[in-house]
Amino acid sequence: MKLILPLDLVADIEPHLPPDTEVVRVDVEGNLDGDASDAEVYFSWFLSRSPTLHKIIEAAPALRWHHAPNAGVNHILTPTYLKRDIILTNGAGVHGIPIAEFVITYILAHAKHLPELYALQAERHWKRGFAIQELTDATLLIIGAGGIGQEIAARAKPFGLKIIGSRRHPQELPNFDKVVGADEWRSLLPGVDYVVIATPLTPETKEFIDESVLRWRSPPKASLPNHAYLINIARGGVVDESALIKALTEGWIAGAALDTVNSEPLPPESPLWSLPNIFITPHTSGHSPKSKQRSIALFIDNLKRYQAGQPLRNVVDKEAGY
């Protein structure tokens, strides 16, 4: 069997491969160091450009399975890619722990006024009287109660938060007080203190955090209360940025933490940088020294399943987009 592996990971993966495995290495530009025409398996590594992906799959007409380390695969599911009958698996869950830790950081930074307190320390200014909040009995809505959402809930629950999740197929989950269906979360918005977006970017979720969500209106057109705090660790495209800019400028909500935005890297001239009550991180919430290890372990486990003809983990529903 022949595999296409990213150049940077070959040394980590090769010791785990069966002796009869051939490896074709590929660099970040999609250049291959051998003949990939009979390669069955491709492990990509955080592709940033569609032409690179198209170049690789064109060179591998026998490709049957592609594993991507990302949880979100909207950038992979191009019309060119979808013409091919390739099983796609993703890295859902691999980055859940570091992302969940970042979400707790965002929540605590807001509740405890950490940015203001850091600024006061830098100014050597002793000031008191902040409206510091507790997390006990606050309500956290996690839109997207998949692997990452469940890791967030596991870390948020010990703080005493009431946790509501939403997912395409609702079911009882550990650490969640309630799990609702795809669009049912909208009716719950007036009672939410913190909302985390952890859903894939699909045609249904594109800019679904819009003015109707961010600007208070009386039910039945439910929306977030003005003390709510928004956290996006999903994809920038799920948030209508023009509506968010209005929301933060005019005080529709209390603040936001964004680990992802529409245009990355975020241009210096973007108004998002200077908005009040915003915490921007450079798409770094999933970073951890252990993420690479988990990605490789998932791929090796799936490779064993593939060779044994067993069902693969994390198979993407290409029609649904995740």
Side-chain angles (χ1 to χ4, degrees):
M1 182 176 61
K2 187 177 285 187
L3 278 63
I4 303 172
L5 298 180
L7 189 61
D8 293 345
L9 297 187
V10 170
D12 296 292
I13 295 174
E14 272 192 326
H16 303 281
L17 298 178
D20 60 343
T21 306
E22 291 184 62
V23 173
V24 176
R25 296 162 178 81
V26 61
D27 66 17
V28 293
E29 298 298 325
N31 299 309
L32 300 155
D33 74 347
D35 176 19
S37 61
D38 56 344
E40 294 181 39
V41 178
Y42 169 40
F43 181 8
S44 62
W45 192 244
F46 296 103
L47 286 164
S48 58
R49 300 189 308 122
S50 296
T52 302
L53 172 63
H54 297 164
K55 179 179 179 180
I56 295 165
I57 64 172
E58 184 179 351
L63 194 65
R64 296 178 57 199
W65 166 41
H66 170 204
H67 179 74
N70 324 65
V73 293
N74 55 291
H75 63 297
I76 290 174
L77 299 176
T78 65
T80 299
Y81 187 90
L82 292 171
K83 287 178 184 175
R84 296 282 298 274
D85 185 19
I86 301 170
I87 298 167
L88 175 63
T89 57
N90 68 2
V94 166
H95 308 282
I97 291 173
I99 290 175
E101 291 176 352
F102 249 99
V103 168
I104 298 301
T105 301
Y106 299 135
I107 291 173
L108 287 170
H110 173 68
K112 305 303 181 185
H113 291 260
L114 295 188
E116 296 94 327
L117 293 171
Y118 276 130
L120 288 172
Q121 179 180 338
E123 296 166 5
R124 304 188 180 198
H125 184 190
W126 187 273
K127 178 184 174 182
R128 303 183 69 187
F130 288 100
I132 292 173
Q133 306 163 32
E134 284 189 15
L135 301 188
T136 303
D137 298 327
T139 297
L140 168 63
L141 170 63
I142 301 173
I143 302 177
I148 291 172
Q150 290 172 48
E151 294 287 359
I152 294 167
R155 283 151 186 79
K157 198 61 182 174
F159 285 92
L161 287 148
K162 177 185 177 184
I163 304 175
I164 302 170
S166 79
R167 57 185 290 150
R168 191 175 170 195
H169 303 295
Q171 64 187 82
E172 287 189 14
L173 294 171
N175 303 304
F176 286 85
D177 295 277
K178 180 194 293 185
V179 180
V180 299
D183 256 358
E184 293 178 71
W185 56 268
R186 293 179 183 273
S187 65
L188 305 173
L189 290 175
V192 167
D193 301 292
Y194 299 93
V195 55
V196 177
I197 315 302
T199 187
L201 177 60
T202 67
E204 291 73 31
T205 63
K206 184 172 175 57
E207 294 191 347
F208 76 149
I209 305 300
D210 56 13
E211 185 168 329
S212 69
V213 171
L214 298 169
R215 187 170 190 172
W216 176 260
R217 288 180 171 85
S218 298
K221 292 186 177 178
S223 55
L224 289 169
N226 60 13
H227 68 268
Y229 192 75
L230 174 73
I231 298 168
N232 184 15
I233 47 83
R235 286 290 183 268
V238 302
V239 175
D240 179 342
E241 284 187 1
S242 61
L244 180 61
I245 290 167
K246 273 187 177 180
L248 293 172
T249 303
E250 300 180 17
W252 299 351
I253 59 174
L258 305 179
D259 189 50
T260 178
V261 291
N262 268 322
S263 180
E264 296 183 5
L266 186 62
E269 65 274 13
S270 170
L272 287 172
W273 288 113
S274 55
L275 289 174
N277 301 317
I278 194 166
F279 188 176
I280 295 174
T281 53
H283 210 145
T284 195
S285 67
H287 291 193
S288 163
K290 297 180 180 179
S291 294
K292 179 181 173 183
Q293 300 166 20
R294 294 186 187 112
S295 293
I296 291 171
L298 173 59
F299 173 71
I300 295 300
D301 179 62
N302 259 349
L303 183 61
K304 291 175 182 176
R305 291 167 179 261
Y306 176 82
Q307 290 178 303
Q310 298 172 348
L312 302 182
R313 295 163 57 193
N314 289 10
V315 174
V316 172
D317 179 339
K318 287 185 274 190
E319 188 173 333
Y322 56 94

